[in-house]
Amino acid sequence: MSSAAAPEFKPFNLALIQLGQVGADKTANLKHACEMILKAASGNGGTKPKPDLVVLPECFNSPYGHTHFPVYAETIGYKPGESYSVEASPSESVKSLSAVAKEAGVWLLGGSIPERDETDKKLYNTSTVYSPAGNLVAIHRKVHLFDIDIPGKITFKESETLTGGTAINYFDTEFARIGLGICYDVRFPELAMINARKGCQVLIYPGAFNLTTGPLHWELLQRARAIDQQVYFSMCSPARDLSAGYHAWGHSMVVDPMGKVIAETEHEEDIVYAHIDPKTFHDARAGIPVTTQRRFDVYPDVSEGIAVGK
Ligand SMILES: O=C(O)CCC(=O)C(=O)O
């Protein structure tokens, strides 16, 4: 995490892994995720450009549901601003993701996993991010917990076992500043707004919408966040598994700063590739200059005084 000026936005290639086969066996889930990361990083065996950044979905190492979180939770022990040793990490998932990021030579946004904090004894839904050298460089704990009740359709209560994170997070690469969020976080424009104002050119949220809200809101919310912040916006979902307790919508996608969906898949396991072009970002902001037309004399700047990553 850096509070310095954002890196110059350069073209890069992104790959989203819409991961399937997420079952009860965590070691098998991790093994499959690592195989798919290597496949994505190879550009699908050379048919696609090698990605600079690879992304996994929300809750990729365990079944999704509040009863599973305490069973699968791992201690990570990452503290922003402090050095972190992957070798000494108590987390099997951190060790595996670090090793595969290094082997593949890519930035890796490792979806999210249930995390147990040994200090406050609480559980979080946490993303971890790795550099191509395999260093753990950032985490994001889902801020807004998925507690909804649509009678006859879907009732879900993450807060039965999870606690919401208290920080807004991004990470810097040599090609962009990337803002983080997880799934339900997309419904809260303030989070995206703050990261965009802090210089993020790209926002990526691992997510797992469902068959009720997915068809209505998954694409709409991403296009809304892309347009209102004039950033690239992307969400990476698990594949749909109708034999699992939670049925994910799938449709992992990438939206450009004009709100155009530039890459998308259906609901099976797949890898979505996208080329991220800063020209679209600069053209959107030059042509529709809302980023310089804000009226902070009429309403407050929500990013004012927010320390990202703290
Ligand atoms: O916001 C939604 O409709 C779905 C959110 C969700 O599935 C999640 O936060 O995990």
Side-chain angles (χ1 to χ4, degrees):
M1 183 69 50
S2 149
S3 55
E8 183 191 345
F9 192 11
K10 299 192 185 128
F12 72 96
N13 293 312
L14 173 65
L16 313 176
I17 300 178
Q18 183 160 291
L19 196 68
Q21 302 173 31
V22 178
D25 180 343
K26 190 202 285 186
T27 304
N29 295 337
L30 274 171
K31 182 167 176 288
H32 181 56
C34 290
E35 286 163 1
M36 290 297 284
I37 291 164
L38 292 174
K39 182 175 175 193
S42 75
N44 237 353
T47 58
K48 302 280 184 185
K50 178 179 166 74
D52 302 283
L53 170 60
V54 174
V55 183
L56 289 175
E58 182 178 24
C59 209
F60 78 91
N61 74 1
S62 92
Y64 191 49
H66 71 265
T67 55
H68 303 295
F69 301 138
V71 180
Y72 287 78
E74 297 179 26
T75 300
I76 298 175
Y78 178 90
K79 299 266 180 301
E82 291 179 16
S83 68
Y84 185 87
S85 163
V86 168
E87 291 70 35
S89 174
S91 164
E92 178 188 1
S93 299
V94 165
K95 284 198 166 93
S96 302
L97 295 182
S98 160
V100 77
K102 192 168 170 184
E103 181 181 349
V106 293
W107 287 90
L108 176 62
L109 196 182
S112 76
I113 63 170
E115 178 203 2
R116 175 174 288 104
D117 187 315
E118 285 305 336
T119 310
D120 63 16
K121 306 291 176 208
K122 292 178 174 159
L123 302 179
Y124 298 91
N125 183 343
T126 304
S127 288
T128 55
V129 181
Y130 307 83
S131 71
N135 296 321
L136 176 58
V137 298
I139 68 165
H140 174 73
R141 288 171 167 173
K142 187 175 190 175
V143 171
H144 304 94
L145 296 181
F146 179 40
D147 284 0
I148 67 167
D149 183 17
I150 306 177
K153 298 282 187 187
I154 177 168
T155 301
F156 205 93
K157 204 152 187 243
E158 273 188 319
S159 66
E160 293 271 359
T161 49
L162 297 185
T163 299
T166 54
I168 294 179
N169 298 284
Y170 61 68
F171 63 101
D172 284 345
T173 65
E174 64 280 12
F175 44 80
R177 176 168 285 176
I178 316 271
L180 297 168
I182 301 176
C183 206
Y184 200 60
D185 282 337
V186 70
R187 293 187 179 273
F188 300 84
E190 291 88 345
L191 198 76
M193 195 177 285
I194 291 167
N195 264 334
R197 299 252 174 92
K198 299 285 180 189
C200 295
Q201 302 101 342
V202 180
L203 305 180
I204 306 180
Y205 294 17
F209 270 41
N210 51 77
L211 302 188
T212 301
T213 61
L216 281 169
H217 297 160
W218 171 259
E219 177 180 329
L220 184 62
L221 283 164
Q222 293 184 71
R223 296 181 70 194
R225 296 296 82 83
I227 296 167
D228 58 29
Q229 304 314 319
Q230 296 187 314
V231 292
Y232 278 91
F233 199 99
S234 174
M235 290 179 80
C236 180
S237 170
R240 191 175 308 160
D241 175 0
L242 293 178
S243 69
Y246 185 88
H247 303 155
W249 173 237
H251 292 264
S252 298
M253 68 171 59
V254 184
V255 182
D256 80 13
M258 287 299 280
K260 182 172 164 196
V261 177
I262 58 166
E264 183 186 1
T265 188
E266 292 292 330
H267 60 261
E268 295 90 5
E269 181 167 88
D270 197 7
I271 302 173
V272 178
Y273 291 89
H275 180 66
I276 305 300
D277 184 357
K279 186 174 183 311
T280 312
F281 170 89
H282 294 303
D283 286 353
R285 290 182 171 209
I288 310 172
V290 294
T291 53
T292 59
Q293 292 169 328
R294 305 220 191 267
R295 292 288 308 275
F296 297 135
D297 57 327
V298 177
Y299 45 78
D301 177 356
V302 293
S303 69
E304 199 64 41
I306 303 286
V308 175
K310 297 288 186 298

